[in-house]
Amino acid sequence: MPTHRRQFLSTVTGLTGAALLAPQLLQAEEVKASPIACNQYTWFTFYSREGRNWTADLDASLAEFKKSGLTAYEPSFNNADEVKKLIPLVKKHSLTVPSAYVNSVLHKADEAQNSIDSVLAIAEATKPLGTRILVTNPSPISWGGTENKNDQELAEQAKNLDKLGAELRKRGVTLSYHTHDVELRAGAREFHHMLLATDPRNVTFCFDVHWVYRGSGNSQIAVFDVLKLYGKRITELHVRQSVGGVWSEAMGEGDIDYRRLAQELKVLGIRPHIVLEQCIEKPSPHTMQAVEAHQRSLAYARDVFSKLLG
């Protein structure tokens, strides 16, 4: 079972040891100006396979990130203090941070406000970085568990997700709702309710293509149905490829037709912020290390999404 990003977030405190309406929050030309980014979780999976720790020497890690040709970084934050420690490092390596991934617990009435306050503090702390999108995947009942949220918890979560998005909007930041596979269970009721019960002005959509694919039983039909249903809500795209259901080391041709996806996004007039998330899992091939893999992923993504980038 692959490690979910939220499980990874619990280890990222190692940072402390290192120096159906188109949303109007983010204009198309602003998104267009952002280069293809990559999030830190991707690199964590490669480093972990190599017996290395991404956060042990973040300065050196970001140097490798830059060596791959990437210039836009999507970090994950648990709290505002982690942002403050990252700022001098991304500036040193001339990296931009158009988006960031944040933790949230929104289905519990007694915990939601603290979670909202934490995300808002992160939003304030990222102002020097020019971060315009905060991505969140509200926590499940338990990571790796089989229990689904009940209707009361889903209603509570949607209310708090919308509240968070409204508060971020006041601060000029876009909230982008993200899913893993958990939200696609039980008729995808959690996934659909988060988008149907929230205001598109407050909650946009981070389309993590492969988690929708995997969460729907490896269904490309599901991927393109989601695009038809919620395409106008998309402000960010997380992209990952697999071959025969197994995550590949680098982006390339495989289970998901990304060329078709790019073309359909173009027809919709949507130019989302594109973030590479070509993670690896235990059965993935092992033929290259992190820098080479990300160089190849970046080259492929630039080719496939060229008409959405400029």
Side-chain angles (χ1 to χ4, degrees):
M1 185 80 175
T3 301
H4 281 285
R5 184 202 313 265
R6 192 64 47 75
Q7 293 168 292
F8 157 67
L9 272 171
S10 67
T11 71
V12 180
T13 51
L15 265 171
T16 58
L20 293 176
L21 292 172
Q24 298 302 310
L25 306 182
L26 209 61
Q27 300 301 317
E29 62 270 20
E30 293 175 325
V31 178
K32 178 182 174 182
S34 296
I36 292 174
C38 182
N39 62 50
Q40 72 179 54
Y41 179 64
T42 302
W43 287 78
F44 170 83
T45 65
F46 277 88
Y47 271 46
S48 180
R49 182 173 72 176
E50 297 165 10
R52 303 165 68 191
N53 186 332
W54 172 257
T55 60
D57 184 351
L58 194 55
D59 187 6
S61 296
L62 289 176
E64 285 205 344
F65 184 96
K66 187 67 179 288
K67 185 179 178 181
S68 72
L70 291 159
T71 60
Y73 180 51
E74 183 177 86
S76 299
F77 295 123
N78 290 293
N79 56 63
D81 288 340
E82 292 176 355
V83 182
K84 296 169 186 175
K85 291 177 173 63
L86 180 68
I87 289 173
L89 292 176
V90 295
K91 289 186 175 179
K92 175 182 177 180
H93 294 285
S94 301
L95 297 172
T96 62
V97 184
S99 62
Y101 186 98
V102 294
N103 188 13
S104 66
V105 178
L106 301 176
H107 66 284
K108 297 181 179 180
D110 59 342
E111 295 183 29
Q113 190 56 54
N114 286 339
S115 193
I116 289 170
D117 290 343
S118 176
V119 174
L120 295 179
I122 290 170
E124 290 294 329
T126 59
K127 281 184 176 180
L129 295 171
T131 303
R132 296 164 296 137
I133 302 174
L134 288 184
V135 178
T136 196
N137 192 137
S139 292
I141 300 294
S142 64
W143 287 103
T146 59
E147 187 178 357
N148 298 320
K149 293 166 187 166
N150 60 36
D151 284 0
Q152 182 179 347
E153 290 167 325
L154 292 180
E156 180 71 23
Q157 180 170 293
K159 179 187 73 175
N160 290 317
L161 189 65
D162 194 77
K163 179 180 179 180
L164 174 58
E167 290 299 322
L168 287 172
R169 185 156 66 98
K170 292 176 185 176
R171 293 160 172 79
V173 177
T174 295
L175 178 64
S176 198
Y177 169 67
H178 178 279
T179 72
H180 290 105
D181 54 349
V182 176
E183 296 81 5
L184 279 296
R185 295 194 306 225
R189 66 186 188 194
E190 179 170 346
F191 168 59
H192 291 300
H193 191 66
M194 291 312 106
L195 291 174
L196 295 174
T198 55
D199 189 331
R201 296 172 299 174
N202 297 334
V203 181
T204 69
F205 180 33
C206 175
F207 189 10
D208 191 308
V209 182
H210 202 279
W211 277 124
V212 170
Y213 174 81
R214 180 170 281 185
S216 303
N218 291 352
S219 172
Q220 190 159 227
I221 284 177
V223 166
F224 288 98
D225 282 349
V226 165
L227 181 63
K228 290 175 185 177
L229 287 170
Y230 303 116
K232 293 292 185 178
R233 295 276 290 264
I234 297 171
T235 48
E236 181 161 319
L237 201 66
H238 280 190
V239 295
R240 180 187 305 159
Q241 187 61 284
S242 63
V243 176
V246 176
W247 297 344
S248 49
E249 287 184 288
M251 285 284 292
E253 301 303 311
D255 294 331
I256 297 171
D257 188 347
Y258 278 105
R259 296 185 187 278
R260 176 186 166 191
L261 183 70
Q263 178 59 32
E264 294 200 15
L265 284 167
K266 184 181 180 221
V267 170
L268 285 171
I270 303 297
R271 293 189 175 188
H273 177 46
I274 299 170
V275 180
L276 293 174
E277 195 180 42
Q278 191 58 44
C279 305
I280 51 174
E281 55 190 341
K282 191 173 182 179
S284 298
H286 190 172
T287 64
M288 62 188 85
Q289 294 185 324
V291 172
E292 180 186 355
H294 285 83
Q295 287 172 338
R296 293 190 182 192
S297 291
L298 181 58
Y300 179 80
R302 282 174 171 163
D303 176 46
V304 169
F305 296 109
S306 60
K307 293 180 180 179
L308 301 179
L309 298 172

